[in-house]
Amino acid sequence: MWHDLAFMAADLCASHGPLDDRAAEFIGGAGMAYIATADADGGCAEVVRQGPPGFIRVIDDRRLAYPEAEPLPDGARVGILLIDLGPAGRGLHVNGRAHSVARDDLPAEVTGPERWVLVDVDETYVHERATGR
């Protein structure tokens, strides 16, 4: 299985700007994400976040949000990796800029914790295993 994951990028990688419908569906079904951040001084942090499917919310085609108790420096770089470990062998990378916000600063349909990270999406990369292997 890990061998397959290591070669997913070589199989098929498509780069996109906004969050298209396929990326939004993938995010909506994800229950785990690897999140890496970097501040203006180059300080890095990596965490694994888990929750029920949909804990990461797609706000629109250029923004998503996830719950986070610890505030991030405004404009920090953020990279999010979501992986489907099932037979499909899909992955999604989202890169952007982070802004710590209160839940009240998000659309009314976003419920849950008081603190969130709002990500302005710069780019997305979808990885899928090529067929025929």
Side-chain angles (χ1 to χ4, degrees):
M1 174 172 58
W2 291 108
H3 179 268
D4 289 341
L5 290 174
F7 290 96
M8 279 187 350
D11 287 346
L12 178 62
C13 179
S15 175
H16 305 283
L19 295 164
D20 60 16
D21 290 341
R22 218 170 86 180
E25 180 181 349
F26 192 97
I27 293 166
M32 181 176 69
Y34 300 92
I35 301 172
T37 59
D39 62 22
D41 297 326
C44 298
E46 302 81 29
V47 296
V48 175
R49 290 291 183 251
Q50 294 178 300
F55 81 101
I56 299 176
R57 310 288 173 83
V58 175
I59 305 301
D60 56 39
D61 70 343
R62 290 283 182 185
R63 298 179 303 159
L64 60 80
Y66 64 90
E68 180 62 67
E70 296 296 320
L72 293 175
D74 196 46
R77 297 289 300 154
V78 63
I80 301 171
L81 172 63
L82 304 132
I83 300 174
D84 175 0
L85 295 175
R90 301 179 303 158
L92 175 68
H93 295 164
V94 178
N95 296 323
R97 299 267 177 195
H99 310 279
S100 293
V101 297
R103 185 186 62 230
D104 293 343
D105 296 328
L106 298 172
E109 62 271 9
V110 176
T111 60
E114 290 297 318
R115 300 297 313 161
W116 291 75
V117 171
L118 180 66
V119 177
D120 294 325
V121 175
D122 292 330
E123 58 192 351
T124 62
Y125 296 92
V126 177
H127 299 273
E128 292 184 306
R129 183 178 302 128
T131 57
R133 278 199 172 183

